[in-house]
Amino acid sequence: MFLRVSTICLGKNYFIVSFFLYIYTHKVEEILEQADYLYESGETEKLYRLLISYKESEDAELLWRLARASRDIAQLSRTSEEEKKRLVYEALEYAKRALEKNESSFAAHKWYAICISDVGDYEGIKVKIANAYIIKEHFEKAIELNPKDATSIHLMGIWCYTFAEMPWYQRKIAKMLFATPPNSTYEEALSYFHRAEQVDPNFYSKNLLLLGKTYLKIQNRKLAAFWLLKAKDYPAHTEEDKQIQTEAAQLLTSFSVKN
Ligand SMILES: *[C@@H]1O[C@H](CO)[C@@H](O)[C@H](O)[C@H]1NC(C)=O
Ligand SMILES: *[C@@H]1O[C@H](CO)[C@@H](O)[C@H](O)[C@H]1NC(C)=O
């Protein structure tokens, strides 16, 4: 790969530099491969231990994976509150660096948006609202860079759902603080959830649940039932899938009782 004819013309130093570049890129590729294997196997702690030893890396692909791993550790039930807070801010730093290293990485945009959203739990309402614009911008950029990433599209749907659902008193505060407070509709949320489903059908139990919940919000019980049933019957692979199944089942019984 690095031993090209030009190397000979450019002399010894070029050869040495290319050689180390070769070793380095190969090493990063190997780490990423190992990291993706651990991620797929749900080995959250091993993955974090692997990636944290490369936290000084300049590689965007490695850094966003480290951001994701840090927030995955933060979300474990055995992680203390104090530890959790440290980890979500750390994750944001890694995601920010990933983005600085490569502005064309859709995953860096996506994880940056997710990590900013996480730290919102520790910030006041003003920062939270200001962050909402930034989050939206980065999800939109992630979708633009990779229109096939169903997760970014789903998260944009969640963003819309959250602001469509925003209670009036929060809206009032938002209006006092910002000229154009973040705002959305259930229809807009639906369009993203549907688009995510089109890109990758059945990719995520929560997208099915949210389709059901959003149809409930706009009083379309028939379509709500259709999607909630799909969410309830979704084969559970993760802890979250199980919670989604339960929530979907509860919603289904609650509105069939009312009928
Ligand atoms: C940045 O990310 C894009 C998309 O993943 C990739 O094609 C490009 O090579 C990366 N650039 C650098 C400098 O790593
Ligand atoms: C949000 O936007 C909708 C339509 O775009 C508008 O009707 C509504 O008044 C807005 N709400 C607030 C609180 O700005």
Side-chain angles (χ1 to χ4, degrees):
M1 183 180 156
F2 65 95
L3 248 186
R4 282 169 306 183
V5 183
S6 60
T7 314
I8 296 155
C9 315
L10 286 166
K12 200 169 146 202
N13 284 344
Y14 181 80
F15 175 79
I16 291 169
V17 168
S18 326
F19 179 72
F20 282 107
L21 212 59
Y22 173 79
I23 299 265
Y24 178 74
T25 47
H26 258 242
K27 195 163 178 225
V28 170
E29 272 165 28
E30 264 170 41
I31 300 160
L32 295 181
E33 212 170 282
Q34 208 178 340
D36 289 344
Y37 174 76
L38 291 172
Y39 183 75
E40 293 301 322
S41 333
E43 296 273 10
T44 312
E45 270 153 349
K46 273 191 196 160
L47 175 60
Y48 179 72
R49 280 201 300 273
L50 168 74
L51 293 177
I52 197 72
S53 57
Y54 299 101
K55 67 175 182 182
E56 303 303 331
S57 169
E58 306 268 292
D59 190 278
E61 292 298 304
L62 208 152
L63 287 167
W64 72 252
R65 282 172 175 82
L66 176 56
R68 181 179 65 181
S70 305
R71 85 180 279 284
D72 281 348
I73 296 281
Q75 287 187 338
L76 294 176
S77 52
R78 59 179 169 276
T79 305
S80 71
E81 277 307 310
E82 209 176 305
E83 194 64 359
K84 186 175 166 163
K85 185 174 176 183
R86 187 184 62 76
L87 282 162
V88 297
Y89 278 95
E90 226 179 84
L92 177 59
E93 276 310 303
Y94 301 136
K96 193 173 160 198
R97 268 176 49 216
L99 199 57
E100 282 163 8
K101 297 298 166 200
N102 192 346
E103 286 259 346
S104 337
S105 162
F106 86 89
H109 283 280
K110 170 163 106 179
W111 289 100
Y112 183 59
I114 293 172
C115 291
I116 297 182
S117 177
D118 286 346
V119 304
D121 292 345
Y122 303 101
E123 302 284 348
I125 185 146
K126 191 166 180 184
V127 174
K128 257 175 112 159
I129 296 168
N131 282 348
Y133 301 101
I134 304 171
I135 292 167
K136 185 170 188 229
E137 187 186 311
H138 286 281
F139 280 141
E140 280 171 348
K141 189 73 190 165
I143 297 169
E144 184 192 318
L145 289 167
N146 184 0
K148 296 274 166 222
D149 185 52
T151 321
S152 300
I153 303 170
H154 163 80
L155 291 168
M156 208 41 241
I158 297 276
W159 191 97
C160 295
Y161 185 91
T162 308
F163 287 100
E165 198 184 33
M166 191 155 91
W168 65 270
Y169 59 90
Q170 279 183 16
R171 244 181 241 287
K172 224 171 160 176
I173 298 171
K175 258 193 167 161
M176 285 184 324
L177 296 171
F178 298 91
T180 51
N183 183 11
S184 188
T185 60
Y186 291 118
E187 287 73 15
E188 200 182 358
L190 271 181
S191 77
Y192 281 108
F193 295 138
H194 275 298
R195 192 170 146 197
E197 227 30 64
Q198 269 164 13
V199 164
D200 194 356
N202 273 317
F203 73 108
Y204 188 23
S205 57
K206 196 173 172 187
N207 199 56
L208 304 171
L209 177 75
L210 264 295
L211 274 160
K213 284 174 77 165
T214 318
Y215 275 118
L216 269 186
K217 292 279 187 188
I218 59 169
Q219 323 287 339
N220 188 330
R221 290 179 171 217
K222 210 168 158 184
L223 282 172
F226 174 82
W227 291 104
L228 289 173
L229 209 57
K230 273 174 107 80
K232 185 177 81 77
D233 293 340
Y234 191 89
H237 296 297
T238 65
E239 198 53 44
E240 190 188 25
D241 290 336
K242 281 180 210 144
Q243 289 163 8
I244 301 263
Q245 275 184 349
T246 313
E247 190 177 344
Q250 279 166 355
L251 284 169
L252 276 166
T253 34
S254 73
F255 79 84
S256 57
V257 169
K258 276 189 230 151
N259 273 343

